[in-house]
Amino acid sequence: MSASTAPATGRKTLAVLLLVPALAALVLWTFAWPAARIAPRDLPVGVAGPAAAADGLAHDLGRHEGAFEVHRYEDAAAARSAVENREVYGAVVVTPAGPELLTASAGSPVVAGLLREAVAGPAAAEGRTVPVTDVVALPSGDPRGAVLGASLLPLAIAGAATGAATVLLGLRGARAAATLAGASALAGLTGAALAHGWLGALTGNVWAEAGVLSLTVLAIGATFAGLATALGRPGFGLAAVLTILAGNAFSGMGSAPELLPSGIGLLGQWLPPGAGGTALRSVAFFDGAAAGGPLLVLSLWAAAGLTALALGGRRRTAQAPVPAPAPAATTAG
């Protein structure tokens, strides 16, 4: 090794030694910090029943400062409808025999357990029992919601691979868009077949589930392709942060967005994995209730990525050098 190359090699070695721990720390912080700070923050819950008794329940929930966002309903039917439409995660209904708790483990098994602890726990300490009704239960094929929670990372990887391949293969324009759309559709159909048909973890309309999965993969793939086209190699890194790193860690699929630190859960719902997970939960268990917002977010990411891909392809075409005309052949006189 020559003396001139030794300093360069040393700098590269030092860069690797510093970069790897920094990257590991970033990944660990991104995933571990939200998980370590899980707690209810303005969690939507309902209270139903006669005014005097319902006011008392609302006051009891209000003792957990900042934990619950209490919605009032006239009766048990209205509260149940609110749970089924994803307006609230659960509701406490005042009955002549005492309070009854309505939950939706399909909305979040973690929140369902938290509500049992907050409502039924104090009553059990006093020797009373609070009946609990799981209005929208998880299927027997996935009683803890583990399959749904684990589905985001494979979707993000599939989208990232599709977007990266589109760029690295040099596809442009309509061909690039068609490749992204086709691969995303196949990924969505495959995912729905596995999660719905084989594992029994989803119980909604299988075509709607496949559509949400496909749109999620397309949004992630278009983000990778669009950012890489616009920014070059740094675009791949930025897309990975948005969709694989922060997108998964801030999605709230393992708990609920309202259980993550303030602002993190909301940010996660504006990123493709979080929006895709929420939309999938809605179509799989709640007949599409509250799916409009997440589907809009996915559509915006997909449209923005495809637009960046198209504009980048046109710019490269316009900048391509025009071949010089061949010299005219001379005719011998």
Side-chain angles (χ1 to χ4, degrees):
M1 180 183 296
S2 65
S4 60
T5 59
T9 303
R11 287 193 296 269
K12 292 179 180 178
T13 302
L14 180 61
V16 171
L17 291 175
L18 294 176
L19 181 60
V20 171
L23 182 60
L26 174 62
V27 174
L28 179 62
W29 174 85
T30 304
F31 280 91
W33 174 63
R37 297 293 184 270
I38 286 180
R41 297 172 176 87
D42 294 326
L43 189 73
V45 297
V47 171
D55 287 342
L57 282 174
H59 177 73
D60 291 340
L61 292 174
R63 291 177 180 174
H64 305 274
E65 186 174 355
F68 299 107
E69 179 185 279
V70 179
H71 298 249
R72 295 291 300 272
Y73 299 99
E74 293 184 2
D75 51 31
R80 178 182 287 267
S81 177
V83 174
E84 293 172 342
N85 290 322
R86 303 204 72 184
E87 296 174 13
V88 293
Y89 281 94
V92 185
V93 180
V94 179
T95 69
E100 176 184 354
L101 176 62
L102 306 179
T103 64
S105 61
S108 171
V110 176
V111 171
L114 186 150
L115 290 177
R116 289 191 187 95
E117 181 180 331
V119 176
E126 298 174 1
R128 297 183 291 110
T129 301
V130 175
V132 179
T133 302
D134 198 349
V135 177
V136 186
L138 284 164
S140 58
D142 187 25
R144 295 177 180 82
V147 174
L148 192 65
S151 64
L152 288 187
L153 185 57
L155 290 177
I157 293 175
T162 302
T166 299
V167 174
L168 296 177
L169 292 175
L171 301 179
R172 299 178 183 174
R175 180 170 295 181
T179 300
L180 283 170
S184 299
L186 291 175
L189 289 170
T190 302
L194 291 174
H196 185 114
W198 179 43
L199 298 174
L202 307 178
T203 58
N205 182 287
V206 66
W207 295 107
E209 294 163 357
V212 170
L213 292 172
S214 299
L215 183 57
T216 303
V217 175
L218 177 61
I220 295 171
T223 299
F224 263 85
L227 287 175
T229 300
L231 304 177
R233 289 185 178 180
F236 284 122
L238 179 57
V241 170
L242 292 174
T243 60
I244 297 178
L245 189 58
N248 279 273
F250 299 166
S251 68
M253 282 299 291
S255 53
E258 294 84 357
L259 298 185
L260 300 180
S262 299
I264 294 299
L266 178 61
L267 173 61
Q269 294 305 296
W270 281 98
L271 298 176
T278 299
L280 180 61
R281 196 186 291 275
S282 290
V283 301
F285 306 120
F286 295 89
D287 294 327
L295 291 177
L296 176 60
V297 171
L298 291 174
S299 299
L300 291 175
W301 279 98
L306 292 174
T307 300
L309 180 62
L311 293 177
R314 290 181 182 180
R315 184 170 62 252
R316 291 184 180 181
T317 302
Q319 293 175 350
V322 179
T330 58
T331 305

